[in-house]
Amino acid sequence: MISYRPLVADELHRIHEIDRTETVRVGYRVEDGELVRETVHWDVPNWSDETPEHNHERIIVGVGATLAAGGTAFGAFDGDRLVGLAAYRPRLTEIMAQLAQLHVSHSYRRCGIASCLLDAVIDLAVRDGARALYVSATPSGSAVGFYLAHGFALAERPHPELYALEPEDIHLIRALP
């Protein structure tokens, strides 16, 4: 049975418990304002201290900064093991919140964990008065497909700061009630 609860800063070191490995054969890019699906051959490694973009320490610092700025992190647990994480930033803009991180361990994917974590973030965003939720998604078929299936659409104008940080990501927005 998976349980969900907020994480505190002292628990963020546990992010390394999440197995982020993935074999990606479908990817996306944006061309002329449209999503373009393409065949790719990416093998996403687990957290690595040698590659900055895959370093769990970088994620810990980022989620810690989100918490320090008034955000929230949610963990999904199988017993005592952290198997999923979502980080929420309440004010990306005056009217838009951000799903800053979403990770689920490889063997726990397609079990509804990401959907439950996303629902928790959406509930907070709505409660905080956000009119939209922004995500900068890994351009994999699984990530983009997940967000599209959950009501996100390609951002007409990506957030300039986030786009500068991750120009290859797929920048998506979901309107909130």
Side-chain angles (χ1 to χ4, degrees):
M1 179 63 82
I2 302 299
S3 62
Y4 301 87
R5 65 172 174 79
L7 293 175
V8 296
D10 290 346
E11 295 177 295
L12 296 182
H13 69 278
R14 298 186 64 184
I15 290 172
H16 78 275
E17 296 174 21
I18 297 171
D19 173 7
R20 67 178 301 277
T21 59
E22 183 177 7
T23 300
V24 179
R25 296 300 176 247
V26 173
Y28 284 92
R29 60 186 164 79
V30 177
E31 187 175 294
D32 298 325
E34 299 290 330
L35 273 177
V36 177
R37 182 183 165 117
E38 58 189 355
T39 300
V40 298
H41 297 284
W42 304 332
D43 291 317
V44 178
N46 206 355
W47 305 112
S48 167
D49 292 333
E50 300 162 12
T51 309
E53 64 270 16
H54 299 141
N55 184 322
H56 77 280
E57 292 297 329
R58 177 178 162 259
I59 303 301
I60 291 169
V61 169
V63 175
T66 299
L67 292 178
T72 303
F74 293 101
F77 292 86
D78 185 358
D80 190 44
R81 183 175 183 81
L82 181 66
V83 298
L85 165 80
Y88 164 71
R89 178 179 175 185
R91 292 276 178 242
L92 178 61
T93 70
E94 278 299 311
I95 62 167
M96 191 167 7
Q98 179 191 12
L99 174 60
Q101 299 286 334
L102 182 61
H103 298 281
V104 175
S105 283
H106 180 80
S107 61
Y108 289 84
R109 293 181 190 145
R110 302 200 184 283
C111 298
I113 294 170
S115 294
C116 287
L117 291 168
L118 176 60
D119 288 346
V121 166
I122 289 170
D123 287 347
L124 268 181
V126 169
R127 190 174 73 214
D128 288 342
R131 305 289 297 158
L133 185 64
Y134 190 100
V135 67
S136 173
T138 301
S140 68
S142 60
V144 173
F146 171 80
Y147 291 118
L148 293 175
H150 284 83
F152 286 80
L154 190 61
E156 288 182 23
R157 287 184 216 109
H159 186 276
E161 180 183 316
L162 297 180
Y163 183 79
L165 288 173
E166 299 175 312
E168 293 182 8
D169 275 8
I170 306 302
H171 297 258
L172 304 161
I173 296 175
R174 176 182 165 164
L176 297 177

